[in-house]
Amino acid sequence: MTLRQTLEQQWQDGGALATALRPLGALTGKVAQWRRRHIQGRAASIPTIVVGN
């Protein structure tokens, strides 16, 4: 089994690796939440085209 297959199986089955990484996922979510609340965007001084997400 390849590393990719192992990681995907761990993620889908909720294995030990997925459980061990859960706190890191929670921390990442909290940082993203903080950034959305506290960091303001700014208007571009020139026309801007955004492609993708």
Side-chain angles (χ1 to χ4, degrees), residues 1-7 9-10:
M1 184 180 294
T2 66
L3 177 60
R4 180 180 176 160
Q5 291 171 329
T6 302
L7 292 174
Q9 184 177 8
Q10 285 283 316

Side-chain angles (χ1 to χ4, degrees), residues 39-50:
I39 297 179
Q40 298 293 323
R42 58 186 171 102
S45 59
I46 59 173
T48 305
I49 299 174
V50 177

Side-chain angles (χ1 to χ4, degrees), residues 10-34:
Q10 285 283 316
W11 174 61
Q12 291 173 356
D13 296 342
L17 183 59
T19 302
L21 292 174
R22 187 169 287 151
L24 183 59
L27 177 63
T28 302
K30 291 293 183 183
V31 169
Q33 184 180 37
W34 182 88

